[in-house]
Amino acid sequence: MAKGDGKLIANNKKAYHDYFILESFEAGIALHGTEVKSLRMGKCSIKEAFIRIENGEMFIYGMHVSPYEKGNIFNKDPLRVKKLLLHKKEILKMLGKMKEKGITIVPLKVYFKGSLVKVEIGLAKGKKLYDKRDDIAKKDQKREAEREFKVRNFG
């Protein structure tokens, strides 16, 4: 997502911690009116969400869109399965990659692009425990180095 592209609604930091992101795609999402209004207010969570391909179509499960307060009877189930809108070629490409061992598709971000709601999805490979520990150690080293730099220059 480039700068000025739109307003970020939800970010899935857990995905970056648990997976190596190999490739990312932008997908549209089929929503109902009150869901869009709820998203405009930033009421969305994709922490527990996952994506499946069924009959050549892609669906997102577990994406929580809070019911719109003023929506009453028009509100849909917050955890309803939502269809992702992609070109057939992109879906087939991802399906081919998923045949490889350990490759899955995870939602990374939900954001507005103009008036449209988009989902950034990534082809991901699961990290082992030692990979996660390695990432945490690198992050700690970087933070420590930045702290040292600050102390030296402003102390």
Side-chain angles (χ1 to χ4, degrees):
M1 190 170 93
K3 274 187 184 167
D5 233 4
K7 184 181 144 209
L8 184 69
I9 302 166
N11 198 356
N12 192 355
K13 290 181 181 174
K14 192 174 176 227
Y16 291 100
H17 179 71
D18 292 342
Y19 301 99
F20 293 112
I21 307 301
L22 309 173
E23 200 174 345
S24 63
F25 296 87
E26 181 181 75
I29 185 165
L31 296 168
H32 292 278
T34 54
E35 290 175 318
V36 177
K37 288 178 181 179
S38 186
L39 288 172
R40 285 207 186 284
M41 296 167 72
K43 302 203 170 164
C44 175
S45 171
I46 54 172
K47 279 188 177 72
E48 303 297 318
F50 60 96
I51 294 170
R52 281 202 184 133
I53 298 175
E54 296 167 7
N55 304 326
E57 294 180 325
M58 201 174 275
F59 296 93
I60 186 165
Y61 291 81
M63 176 178 164
H64 188 279
V65 178
S66 299
Y68 183 56
E69 288 123 32
K70 299 174 184 79
N72 57 39
I73 60 164
F74 299 108
N75 281 333
K76 299 289 181 199
D77 175 27
L79 289 171
R80 157 184 99 76
V81 178
K82 295 159 193 72
K83 185 176 175 182
L84 294 179
L85 310 170
L86 284 132
H87 291 285
K88 192 67 97 189
K89 225 185 322 186
E90 290 177 311
I91 294 174
L92 291 173
K93 180 181 179 182
M94 283 188 242
L95 194 59
K97 296 260 184 174
M98 278 180 72
K99 298 246 188 284
E100 290 177 36
K101 190 171 181 272
I103 302 278
T104 187
I105 303 173
V106 292
L108 305 173
K109 291 177 189 156
V110 179
Y111 56 93
F112 278 106
K113 188 172 184 182
S115 63
L116 304 174
V117 178
K118 298 287 184 178
V119 180
E120 187 177 314
I121 56 178
L123 281 174
K125 191 174 179 84
K127 285 185 181 179
K128 302 274 188 268
L129 186 61
Y130 58 83
D131 290 325
K132 291 180 192 177
R133 286 183 186 149
D134 199 36
D135 280 355
I136 292 168
K138 282 180 186 169
K139 216 179 278 180
D140 287 345
Q141 281 180 332
K142 187 177 176 186
R143 197 177 302 125
E144 193 61 41
E146 284 173 1
R147 197 176 293 134
E148 288 281 321
F149 182 74
K150 260 187 196 170
V151 169
R152 244 185 246 134
N153 288 340
F154 301 111

